[in-house]
Amino acid sequence: MRRAVQRMRPGEPLPSLGTMDDKDILARVGGLVAEERVLRDRATGQGLSAEERSRLDGLEVQLDQCWDLLRQRRARSEYGGDPDEAALRSPREVEGYES
């Protein structure tokens, strides 16, 4: 059974992403990437304020969390698990991965 979908706007904190399916997560990624591009373009032109730099840092973490959740969901589906049981990992855990 599919859980309720929660629509989000760029800049909103991540909800309990367990309520989102792959399509919703990808839409969230698209919004975050669009906002990230605006800030990166501004950074190369006029530079960023401390607030904008902080926002850009936060966007990078949220993107990492979304991609991680999507990978978890896809792995669960591929191996017969329930993708809705995938859990959002903390920024510390996601940012601590080694390449």
Side-chain angles (χ1 to χ4, degrees), residues 19-90:
T19 62
M20 299 173 77
D21 63 15
D22 292 2
K23 181 179 169 185
D24 298 317
I25 295 168
L26 287 169
R28 177 66 177 157
V29 165
L32 292 169
V33 167
E35 188 177 353
E36 180 187 38
R37 271 192 203 121
V38 168
L39 289 172
R40 288 197 185 281
D41 288 347
R42 190 174 301 147
T44 59
Q46 64 191 34
L48 297 177
S49 68
E51 182 179 314
E52 290 170 322
R53 180 71 225 161
S54 176
R55 177 65 189 145
L56 182 57
D57 292 343
L59 287 170
E60 292 169 353
V61 171
Q62 287 183 38
L63 280 165
D64 288 346
Q65 287 179 293
C66 286
W67 285 122
D68 174 71
L69 181 61
L70 193 59
R71 281 190 297 272
Q72 287 182 60
R73 290 179 57 80
R74 288 178 175 172
R76 286 178 181 276
S77 290
E78 184 176 338
Y79 293 100
D82 181 357
D84 288 335
E85 290 179 1
L88 181 66
R89 292 184 175 131
S90 72

